[in-house]
Amino acid sequence: YAYKPQGLGLFERIAEQEKKTKGALMEIAGWLEMENLHRIEAFDISNTSGSYNVASMVVFTDGVSDKKEYRKFRIKGNIKSDDYGAMKEVLKRRFERAMQSDEKFSKFPDLILADGGKGQVSAVKEILAEINYYRFTGYTLQYRKNPDESDYIEELPFEKV
């Protein structure tokens, strides 16, 4: 008894998915005028009434989520609901640990994404300048809701900072 699966086989599906992922990654690199885009780190600050602030770092390697590289940071400073200050603290800790040869933070990103806007990008830029890490160009991409249609979101173009 032989079984022949319908459509693409497993290896063909994996190859097709990899092709789409690499294509999307190349497209993003093109938008940002980057030659190499291997590792992406994305940061987000979350707080509960300003009392328990945490940050998350999610990582994509070659366009695929790399969950073993995800990190969570508890905001230690007396920052309350200061997203910019929290972003600075987290990035400073992340890169200081890399400079101290901490194995968990030894890989440097090609692209850093920060949830927010110009203030968060400025915080990233400030910390990277402090540690003399100049492989950085900041961009913001914002979404604006149309007040007449609650489910409509307008994409604004990238703005180089």
Side-chain angles (χ1 to χ4, degrees), residues 77-125:
N78 189 12
I79 296 174
K80 299 289 180 206
S81 59
D82 176 9
D83 276 2
Y84 308 132
M87 184 68 70
K88 285 184 192 178
E89 178 188 318
V90 168
L91 287 164
K92 188 170 186 173
R93 286 169 49 199
R94 184 265 180 259
F95 284 101
E96 281 178 345
R97 289 180 69 179
M99 302 292 192
Q100 295 166 355
S101 301
D102 184 329
E103 185 67 30
K104 292 180 181 178
F105 294 93
S106 63
K107 299 172 189 164
F108 283 84
D110 299 305
L111 176 64
I112 296 172
L113 303 175
D115 185 24
K118 287 184 182 180
Q120 282 79 359
V121 171
S122 294
V124 172
K125 198 172 186 178

Side-chain angles (χ1 to χ4, degrees), residues 40-47 52-60 67 69-75 83 86-87 89-91 93-94 105 112-115 124:
I40 301 171
E41 292 182 4
F43 293 86
D44 188 21
I45 307 297
S46 175
N47 59 59
Y52 182 73
N53 295 344
V54 295
S56 57
M57 177 182 94
V58 298
V59 178
F60 294 87
K67 293 185 179 182
E69 295 287 324
Y70 285 18
R71 298 290 177 263
K72 181 177 168 185
F73 300 86
R74 183 167 182 191
I75 307 301
D83 276 2
M87 184 68 70
E89 178 188 318
V90 168
L91 287 164
R93 286 169 49 199
R94 184 265 180 259
F105 294 93
I112 296 172
L113 303 175
D115 185 24
V124 172

